[in-house]
Amino acid sequence: RLKTINRLQVILQHLKMSNQTDSTAEVLLEKRGCAGIITLNRPKALNALNLSMIKQIHPQLKTWEQDPETFLIIIKGTGGKAFCAGGDIRAITEAGKVGDKLSQEFFQGEYRLNNAIGTCKKPYVALIDGITMGGGVGLSVHGHFRVATERTLFAMPETAIGLFPDVGGGYFLPRLSGKVGYYLALTGCRLKGRDVLKAGIATHFVESEKLPALEKDLIALKSPSKENIADLLNSYHKKCTIDQEKKFVLDEHMEKINSIFSANSMEEIVKKIKQDGSPFAIKQLETINKMSPTSLKLTLRQLREGASMSLQEVLRMEYRLSQACMKGQDFYEGVRAVLIDKDQSPKWKPSTLEEVSDEFVDNCFKSLGNDDLKL
């Protein structure tokens, strides 16, 4: 009898999932034409990713990957403001404070999903319209195609909350041209619109209002190959003229960025910035001085090591770092200062780069034995 009840629950769950009119669901999963479509549906929370969404998306992604009738997967957000503004940081903070398992389960689930996207055999198209930060980057950047619009706002702002640019940041950031990834990771610099494409984070750029038409055309493709999908995205991309003439916002600073951020340690980066002394450099110094010194050191090493690792190795390393941050104090203090009290003045411990010892950093990267992330 129990089996029948379980089977009923599975069927009900399935019906709930395929019923697109259920506008209250946090994530909508539906099959239309040749495509599986994932819609992040927490507009009030800027589509921030929580554990229940992860638990729904991951198995569905795997099912579509095996399904001979599904030729591509599309992921998008609702509400017009954000694709996905990040992970559900507040829930993780509350859990971490009381030693709840969520602070392990969330990162495990999220990184496994990032890996599933990165290894997905079906073409994966992320429509990154609006705010795309942290966890939202993890849901998009490891797939085959990332379509940015004039409304895309990209950032990895984790060093400001005592964390590090995770979700595979250690893999994709050091692979961007020059040292731009190191710069984005350490300063949390925001890129807008076409700059997201020029930095190498997006693969295509399309007007926001053209996305429904693009989606319709993708869904209407008949048994498309990856090349067919690329051709369609390219045709939309070529027609888009918004900001076509504008130079990449970091172009004029690239020489400085490459020189400063190629230093081997955070202390050396700061020293190079001070020696440079230009208005651009002074601005970067002000930004870096606000960040968690511990986070800065972890991030620099994460990127330097991640540059020669596979995505799987990076995610395992990042899981170790996530658990080190959960045990520390800066993450809770950063979330308090930036997201809860919003006084924007976190009290970091230690408060200077010099006080964050190499030994401490080494410990954060150490294997967790049986508790290491299994992919």
Side-chain angles (χ1 to χ4, degrees):
R1 173 118 187 274
L2 252 176
K3 271 193 173 158
T4 333
I5 291 173
N6 282 345
R7 198 175 302 137
L8 250 174
Q9 283 175 330
V10 169
I11 292 166
L12 285 171
Q13 179 60 33
H14 195 79
L15 283 171
K16 189 173 149 204
M17 210 183 66
S18 57
N19 180 3
Q20 209 249 326
T21 55
D22 180 15
S23 57
T24 56
E26 296 178 316
V27 57
L28 308 172
L29 302 161
E30 47 177 335
K31 177 80 195 318
R32 283 174 35 212
C34 69
I37 300 172
I38 302 164
T39 309
L40 308 172
N41 191 35
R42 295 180 73 202
K44 287 197 175 96
L46 299 175
N47 299 324
L49 187 66
N50 62 27
L51 188 57
S52 88
M53 292 162 80
I54 292 166
K55 284 181 170 172
Q56 291 173 71
I57 296 169
H58 193 167
Q60 187 59 62
L61 185 66
K62 285 295 178 199
T63 304
W64 282 333
E65 193 176 10
Q66 302 303 320
D67 173 27
E69 298 302 305
T70 304
F71 290 88
L72 79 145
I73 292 156
I74 297 169
I75 186 167
K76 59 180 183 169
T78 54
K81 278 191 181 165
F83 163 65
C84 169
D88 197 346
I89 293 290
R90 280 180 183 226
I92 303 161
T93 312
E94 294 310 313
K97 279 182 191 163
V98 294
D100 185 302
K101 287 224 300 278
L102 177 73
S103 54
Q104 295 160 352
E105 286 175 4
F106 179 84
F107 290 105
Q108 285 169 353
E110 185 178 31
Y111 297 177
R112 283 176 186 148
L113 176 55
N114 298 149
N115 184 53
I117 293 166
T119 56
C120 186
K121 293 183 180 65
K122 299 278 166 86
Y124 183 95
V125 182
L127 305 177
I128 54 171
D129 188 29
I131 301 165
T132 305
M133 295 186 185
V137 177
L139 289 177
S140 53
V141 80
H142 305 298
H144 304 96
F145 304 109
R146 283 90 61 194
V147 183
T149 75
E150 73 280 7
R151 300 195 309 189
T152 303
L153 177 63
F154 164 94
M156 292 298 271
E158 287 82 0
T159 54
I161 56 163
L163 210 54
F164 59 96
D166 63 336
V167 297
Y171 182 78
F172 85 88
L173 288 162
R175 285 167 172 78
L176 297 176
S177 69
K179 292 292 172 186
V180 99
Y182 289 77
Y183 169 70
L184 295 172
L186 295 165
T187 64
C189 167
R190 297 175 166 207
L191 294 177
K192 290 180 185 156
R194 208 177 267 270
D195 287 329
V196 180
L197 173 82
K198 291 185 173 160
I201 293 147
T203 55
H204 295 82
F205 187 77
V206 172
E207 269 160 89
S208 181
E209 61 178 36
K210 296 278 197 296
L211 287 184
L214 170 62
E215 191 183 327
K216 209 172 138 197
D217 286 347
L218 282 168
I219 291 165
L221 290 170
K222 296 278 175 272
S223 321
S225 65
K226 194 176 161 188
E227 288 67 36
N228 300 143
I229 293 161
D231 288 344
L232 179 60
L233 292 170
N234 291 341
S235 73
Y236 270 82
H237 173 81
K238 287 194 183 97
K239 284 181 199 139
C240 181
T241 55
I242 297 173
D243 294 336
Q244 220 172 11
E245 306 307 313
K246 255 173 78 176
K247 271 173 62 175
F248 179 39
V249 69
L250 296 175
D251 253 0
E252 56 179 313
H253 308 299
M254 271 321 292
E255 214 173 300
K256 284 187 198 303
I257 287 171
N258 290 341
S259 155
I260 290 168
F261 291 91
S262 60
N264 293 332
S265 70
M266 268 319 298
E267 288 89 341
E268 214 178 309
I269 287 174
V270 169
K271 196 174 139 194
K272 282 188 148 190
I273 290 175
K274 285 177 176 166
Q275 283 169 345
D276 182 286
S278 64
F280 173 76
I282 290 162
K283 209 171 137 210
Q284 305 322 308
L285 187 62
E286 281 171 11
T287 300
I288 283 173
N289 282 340
K290 287 180 190 151
M291 305 304 188
S292 153
T294 302
S295 289
L296 290 168
K297 286 209 168 174
L298 293 181
T299 299
L300 182 61
R301 174 145 165 204
Q302 170 206 1
L303 266 58
R304 289 175 59 99
E305 297 208 357
S308 58
M309 285 179 167
S310 68
L311 176 60
Q312 290 70 35
E313 288 167 332
V314 165
L315 290 167
R316 262 183 224 109
M317 164 180 75
E318 291 181 356
Y319 181 68
R320 293 168 184 174
L321 294 179
S322 77
Q323 297 312 294
C325 290
M326 291 303 108
K327 289 190 185 86
Q329 88 100 42
D330 276 8
F331 171 63
Y332 304 101
E333 175 57 14
V335 171
R336 180 206 63 74
V338 175
L339 300 175
I340 296 169
D341 298 343
K342 300 188 176 167
D343 56 28
Q344 312 299 333
S345 51
K347 308 280 178 286
W348 305 123
K349 283 183 194 155
S351 59
T352 66
L353 287 168
E354 289 68 29
E355 289 173 276
V356 183
S357 71
D358 291 344
E359 187 188 8
F360 173 82
V361 173
D362 288 343
N363 276 332
C364 295
F365 283 82
K366 278 201 177 119
S367 166
L368 300 172
N370 285 338
D371 293 332
D372 259 337
L373 179 67
K374 291 162 191 70
L375 292 168

